[in-house]
Amino acid sequence: MVPHRINRPLIWLAIIGIVLYFGVILINLLPGVNGVEEELSGPKVTEEQAADLARQFVHTKQPDYTPNKINIIYQSDKGLSGYLQKAKLTEEYSTRYGDNYPLDYWEVQMFDSRNRLNWIIFVGLNEPKVTAWNQKQAAPASSGSQESRRLLAESFLAENGYDPADLQLMQGSRSSLLMYESAKESIGESRLQLGVAVRGEEVVGFVPSFSVPESFRQWLAGQERSAGLMSYIGLGGMFLLSIAALILVIINRKKVRFSRGILFALIFAGLYGLHTINSWPGASTQIPPEDAAIFNVVYIVFTFLIIALLAGAQYFAAISGDQLWRAQGWNPWPRWRDSNFGEDMFYGMGRGYLLCLFILGVQQVLFFIAGEAFDSFAVNDPTQSVLNMYWPALFPLLAWMAGTSEEIMYRLFGIALFQKWFRLRFLAVLVPSIIWALGHTGYTIYPSYTRLFEVAVLGIIFGYIFLKYGLMTAIFTHVTMDIILMALSLMTTTPSTSNILIGVGYILMPAITGYILMWVHSLFRKRSGPASTV
């Protein structure tokens, strides 16, 4: 048994982090304080309830129809949500319109025996009601005159509680889709618009929504372009780091330990592949259902090719970083054969928990600063939501992939490389931190530079953790932080007794892992005798 040691400075840092974390949360509850909005809480309407409501609705329109397959995905009106948050109108919208025109909703897709899409039904996440619908396989659009379609659409709107006198037919309405704008219902610069699809002599679709002002659309498009550019620069930086690692491996091939990075590369590839399959529904949310088959083939081939390339990059960064540090007389990455391996794992885990609490507090402060100084806000992203995963309970496993791969690439190798080039430790920490941060700007947090600012600061902290305590402490700190955030997302977004217990288990997983590694290594040492400390 390894004796426990009390690291008072880290305990104080953990206490400071806890105070900062909950202090910022309390400050954000005060009126007039901006904050970066958290991911949505658990939906009140389950997927099963949404499917039942969709079936009941379709039965009223087409009594003899029975779907062969039902697909349900979570969707969000990101454009409108972003406008409301930027204009600080989210709470007012939720009160006035949230039940009838929800920002977040279930999209229920119904297919026939030939796998053709027949119906799309929208059901709100918080109110068990159908809010929009569209029948795909319906009468041809050419039958009936434009005037008869207009009268039919306005009769339908009147039957559903809308006054046609308050509605104006918008220019550009197609013959099969008539768009009306309300003269009364508005919020800020956004107005209620009602889309009525008419084919032949029947209404086959109704999609109400609030418009997004053109000024905000242009602002958001600019933000997306900036985020895309920064992401590409970050990806380019990682590519150059990977090429540099490969070149250094070739140059120093006689000094490189080629077996070192294999396990991490396999962990990276396995977890990334599992996450790719698990998050498949989220990736398809922006694709029309009728194009899903082609998209699935392209997506799986392209993604697994990228996984293979990234796993290779991780491998070369690991073995090259290991060699560069050993050349400087420091071994930040213990080997299994080292006598102190078990202790390094155990104490690295303990330090990881304490340092992670500190970083979580710092992150909350950074979010607070971003909200107050930059008017930052976040919108829900269906492509990354646990609601759009086959197995939400597997989501926190991604923390192990991110924590290990990023610490190897940007700390173990990145700092060693830039310290070799610049000779200044701060620049050696700062440059890979910025490259790392650039790769995180694609999240739906605006303005797009918000995450660059936040993640770069966290990267500097991770860099000095690595230089002070070595690779395993940096990995445990990073993994523990990510796993706590992901477990909390799992527990709040898909709340259930089982998911809460699973989330708690994930939060304890780094501790269990560190202890098991220490215990197994102690058994190995007893059986194999004295181990090398070189």
Side-chain angles (χ1 to χ4, degrees):
M1 175 65 68
V2 175
H4 298 276
R5 301 171 188 165
I6 303 300
N7 192 323
R8 288 184 174 83
L10 294 190
I11 290 175
W12 279 111
L13 280 179
I15 293 172
I16 291 171
I18 293 171
V19 171
L20 291 175
Y21 186 89
F22 289 102
V24 171
I25 289 176
L26 291 175
I27 292 173
N28 280 331
L29 295 177
L30 298 176
V33 176
N34 297 329
V36 178
E37 184 175 314
E38 298 291 334
E39 188 177 350
L40 58 85
S41 58
K44 297 176 183 177
V45 178
T46 67
E47 291 184 59
E48 293 76 13
Q49 290 173 322
D52 289 340
L53 287 167
R55 288 192 192 93
Q56 294 169 17
F57 178 84
V58 170
H59 184 71
T60 64
K61 300 287 183 180
Q62 196 175 355
D64 58 343
Y65 176 76
T66 301
N68 184 61
K69 183 181 73 172
I70 293 181
N71 185 40
I72 305 175
I73 56 176
Y74 155 67
Q75 291 280 25
S76 181
D77 190 339
K78 295 194 293 184
L80 178 59
S81 178
Y83 166 69
L84 294 173
Q85 290 197 61
K86 193 171 191 298
K88 299 178 174 56
L89 294 169
T90 303
E91 186 174 348
E92 181 185 347
Y93 182 89
S94 178
T95 301
R96 293 174 58 189
Y97 300 116
D99 291 347
N100 294 322
Y101 316 107
L103 297 173
D104 301 288
Y105 52 90
W106 295 115
E107 180 179 312
V108 183
Q109 303 168 353
M110 295 183 173
F111 298 84
D112 62 18
S113 58
R114 297 183 180 180
N115 206 35
R116 295 179 304 181
L117 180 65
N118 303 132
W119 288 86
I120 296 178
I121 311 294
F122 293 173
V123 178
L125 259 63
N126 294 318
E127 286 293 323
K129 61 193 303 184
V130 171
T131 59
W133 53 277
N134 190 8
Q135 184 181 6
K136 290 293 186 178
Q137 305 294 330
S142 58
S143 57
S145 66
Q146 177 69 5
E147 179 63 17
S148 66
R149 283 191 285 271
R150 184 186 67 80
L151 292 174
L152 184 60
E154 292 178 4
S155 175
F156 167 83
L157 291 171
E159 291 173 2
N160 284 271
Y162 298 96
D163 185 354
D166 297 330
L167 302 174
Q168 180 178 1
L169 183 64
M170 298 175 63
Q171 291 184 351
S173 292
R174 302 193 304 271
S175 59
S176 60
L177 179 64
L178 290 84
M179 293 294 299
Y180 292 85
E181 185 171 83
S182 172
K184 290 185 176 181
E185 303 298 339
S186 65
I187 183 165
E189 299 178 45
S190 179
R191 289 191 173 275
L192 176 62
Q193 295 180 346
L194 308 172
V196 183
V198 180
R199 293 191 178 217
E201 299 299 323
E202 61 179 331
V203 173
V204 296
F206 174 58
V207 181
S209 62
F210 275 79
S211 63
V212 178
E214 184 59 29
S215 59
F216 178 79
R217 285 186 185 276
Q218 294 179 3
W219 180 87
L220 186 61
Q223 292 297 313
E224 297 289 354
R225 286 193 298 270
S226 297
L229 176 61
M230 288 187 286
S231 295
Y232 282 124
I233 294 174
L235 184 62
M238 188 187 70
F239 174 76
L240 293 177
L241 284 175
S242 303
I243 295 298
L246 176 60
I247 292 173
L248 288 172
V249 166
I250 296 173
I251 294 173
N252 301 310
R253 59 189 177 278
K254 294 183 179 180
K255 303 175 184 178
V256 168
R257 296 168 174 169
F258 284 96
S259 62
R260 295 240 64 192
I262 294 176
L263 179 60
F264 279 127
L266 291 175
I267 291 173
F268 174 87
L271 291 179
Y272 199 163
L274 179 63
H275 177 69
T276 296
I277 296 171
N278 191 27
S279 59
W280 207 318
S284 64
T285 55
Q286 308 305 310
I287 305 297
E290 53 269 22
D291 298 333
I294 297 176
F295 168 78
N296 289 342
V297 174
V298 174
Y299 176 73
I300 196 69
V301 172
F302 177 77
T303 304
F304 277 89
L305 176 62
I306 293 297
I307 290 173
L309 293 174
L310 291 177
Q314 293 301 315
Y315 171 71
F316 290 115
I319 60 177
S320 182
D322 173 63
Q323 188 277 324
L324 288 174
W325 286 113
R326 284 189 294 107
Q328 297 182 42
W330 184 43
N331 181 23
W333 182 7
R335 294 182 298 169
W336 177 263
R337 69 174 66 179
D338 295 342
S339 61
N340 62 336
F341 177 87
E343 293 188 21
D344 282 344
M345 295 299 106
F346 183 76
Y347 290 125
M349 172 272 294
R351 289 190 290 262
Y353 273 95
L354 296 175
L355 288 164
C356 130
L357 292 175
F358 171 70
I359 293 176
L360 286 172
V362 172
Q363 186 183 49
Q364 281 292 317
V365 172
L366 294 174
F367 281 146
F368 176 77
I369 293 172
E372 291 297 310
F374 309 144
D375 282 334
S376 296
F377 60 89
V379 298
N380 295 318
D381 186 358
T383 64
Q384 301 177 29
S385 173
V386 297
L387 294 175
N388 281 330
M389 293 183 181
Y390 288 125
W391 312 286
L394 297 181
F395 173 56
L397 283 176
L398 191 64
W400 290 97
M401 186 209 79
T404 56
S405 64
E406 292 173 1
E407 292 308 306
I408 286 173
M409 177 64 73
Y410 299 104
R411 256 63 76 177
L412 177 69
F413 177 69
I415 294 177
L417 178 67
F418 287 107
Q419 186 165 274
K420 183 181 179 69
W421 286 352
F422 297 144
R423 305 292 181 184
L424 292 175
R425 176 154 288 189
F426 178 71
L427 284 179
V429 173
L430 177 63
V431 174
S433 296
I434 292 176
I435 296 173
W436 179 52
L438 286 166
H440 287 73
T441 54
Y443 293 86
T444 52
I445 298 179
Y446 305 99
S448 56
Y449 53 76
T450 299
R451 290 233 73 189
L452 175 62
F453 160 74
E454 171 229 338
V455 178
V457 173
L458 298 186
I460 293 171
I461 297 174
F462 278 122
Y464 280 100
I465 288 173
F466 167 77
L467 293 172
K468 174 72 174 176
Y469 297 108
L471 178 63
M472 299 318 301
T473 295
I475 286 178
F476 270 113
T477 302
H478 196 151
V479 168
T480 305
M481 175 184 172
D482 284 356
I483 216 165
I484 287 175
L485 293 174
M486 292 176 181
L488 290 175
S489 176
L490 173 69
M491 291 187 286
T492 57
T493 308
T494 56
S496 67
T497 302
S498 60
N499 280 346
I500 290 173
L501 292 175
I502 290 171
V504 172
Y506 273 116
I507 293 173
L508 295 175
M509 186 180 287
I512 296 170
T513 302
Y515 188 85
I516 288 176
L517 286 172
M518 178 196 68
W519 176 67
V520 173
H521 186 260
S522 68
L523 295 178
F524 169 80
R525 287 179 58 193
K526 289 177 182 178
R527 293 179 180 178
S528 60
S532 168
T533 58
V534 178

